[in-house]
Amino acid sequence: MSNTTFTMLKPDTIRNQNTGAILDMIIKSGFKIKAMKFTKMSIDQASIFYSIHKERPFFNDLINYMTSGPIVAAILEKDNAVDDFRKLIGSTNPEEAAEGTIRRLFAKSISENAVHGSDSDENAKIECDFHFSDQEIF
Ligand code: UDP
Ligand code: MG
């Protein structure tokens, strides 16, 4: 899976009608869409997806935010996908994100920060498997 990463366009992206603009940036940056769905995570699903953060002070707010509305989940393919996608989205805090990155352009705060991107090949595989079955990947 070293050429694969996983993303979610988070609920603020859908609410603010930035879905199309962000997908366009992703595609124009050379990522191929291998799978995609418009869905909404339950509290249980979001708690499992973000279980690595369960001891963090922001965990409850994160789960409430990520279940506050629909998301777009997608599997993306490109050489060096994980690192290149993290570069395209920018730092977690949009105030620290580089000019031209998705979070710099579209995120409102460190919590409501527009997009998710996997942080390693290992987590990309776990996250792709969490959201998609084999029949949904092309
Ligand atoms: N988050 C937050 N406050 C923080 C750090 C993170 O609300 O101080 C949220 C934010 O939505 C972030 C998510 O928790 O995207 C996961 O945090 P992580 O450190 O993994 O950041 P990411 O990998 O998304 O850049
Ligand atoms: Mg992370």
Side-chain angles (χ1 to χ4, degrees), residues 62-120:
L62 174 62
I63 300 309
N64 286 334
Y65 157 54
M66 287 303 296
T67 59
S68 68
I71 60 162
V72 173
I75 299 178
L76 304 173
E77 188 178 81
K78 184 183 184 296
D79 287 348
N80 203 32
V82 166
D83 288 349
D84 283 4
F85 193 71
R86 294 290 303 200
K87 256 185 230 135
L88 177 64
I89 69 177
S91 301
T92 310
N93 184 348
E95 288 173 13
E96 291 164 12
E99 286 295 338
T101 59
I102 291 173
R103 283 169 165 168
R104 182 61 174 259
L105 289 167
F106 297 103
K108 295 281 177 282
S109 69
I110 191 170
S111 46
E112 303 217 354
N113 59 4
V115 280
H116 169 83
S118 306
D119 63 6
S120 65

Side-chain angles (χ1 to χ4, degrees), residues 9 28 35 37 39 43-44 49 57-58 67-68 70 86 89 92 99-100 103 116-118 121 134:
L9 309 192
K28 288 195 169 126
K37 67 172 70 160
T39 186
I43 297 216
D44 284 351
F49 186 91
F58 58 82
T67 59
S68 68
R86 294 290 303 200
I89 69 177
T92 310
E99 286 295 338
R103 283 169 165 168
H116 169 83
S118 306
D121 288 346
D134 286 351

Side-chain angles (χ1 to χ4, degrees), residues 5-9 23 33 35-37 72-76 128 132:
T5 193
F6 172 78
T7 188
M8 291 183 286
L9 309 192
L23 285 177
I33 294 169
M36 178 172 281
K37 67 172 70 160
V72 173
I75 299 178
L76 304 173
C128 290
F132 293 98

Side-chain angles (χ1 to χ4, degrees), residues 38-51:
F38 190 51
T39 186
K40 185 168 179 280
M41 285 194 286
S42 67
I43 297 216
D44 284 351
Q45 283 176 310
S47 301
I48 294 167
F49 186 91
Y50 282 113
S51 58

